Amino acid sequence: MSLTPESPNLDLNLDLTVALTHAPGGPEHTFVLVSRAGEMIESTLPDPAAAIAAVGRFGERIFFPEPGPPKLCTQQYGGPQVAVVTGTFNGRDVNSRFSLTDGCEIARWRALSPLLGGVAGSTGAI
């Protein structure tokens, strides 16, 4: 899966819930993002416009990856944070887990950082 930017999908219908934990056993923080035709309807995110843009640009490939050969990922650790995104993306069910356990996972998180929260070297913050 390449995370190079594409033209954002400006006709997004989103109903997403993000459950974020900063450490195992820590409290869970929940955020919502709802948009119709790319326009924010409801959000508890710090920057919903950036989240909609990031999901429009990368969401299809990250939420619904195409099968392929195994990926080679750098062995680096970005932290204990875990985010689970559930809901719908243009009518399709979403249930995706994000972590910072290796280079591939860190790249996925950074691509959607306005939705998930920032990590070192990325944009977006919680």
Side-chain angles (χ1 to χ4, degrees):
M1 164 180 56
S2 169
L3 294 182
T4 55
E6 291 182 352
S7 297
N9 179 350
L10 300 178
D11 196 30
L12 286 177
N13 292 308
L14 304 172
D15 190 346
L16 300 174
T17 300
V18 179
L20 174 68
T21 55
H22 291 286
E28 182 177 277
H29 305 279
T30 304
F31 302 92
V32 298
L33 177 64
V34 179
S35 74
R36 297 293 175 258
E39 295 295 319
M40 194 265 298
I41 303 295
E42 176 185 358
S43 178
T44 56
L45 292 166
D47 189 351
I52 291 169
V55 172
R57 179 161 285 144
F58 297 110
E60 184 84 25
R61 287 173 292 163
I62 290 178
F63 295 145
F64 313 108
E66 293 187 18
K71 294 169 184 45
L72 298 175
C73 302
T74 59
Q75 296 301 304
Q76 62 190 57
Y77 181 69
Q81 297 88 341
V82 172
V84 176
V85 179
T86 56
T88 59
F89 174 96
N90 286 341
R92 296 173 70 184
D93 288 338
V94 171
N95 188 350
S96 295
R97 183 180 186 279
F98 296 83
S99 66
L100 300 167
T101 55
D102 62 37
C104 294
E105 289 298 308
I106 291 168
R108 289 177 69 229
W109 191 297
R110 284 185 177 165
L112 292 181
S113 63
L115 179 67
L116 306 177
V119 295
S122 69
T123 60
I126 291 182

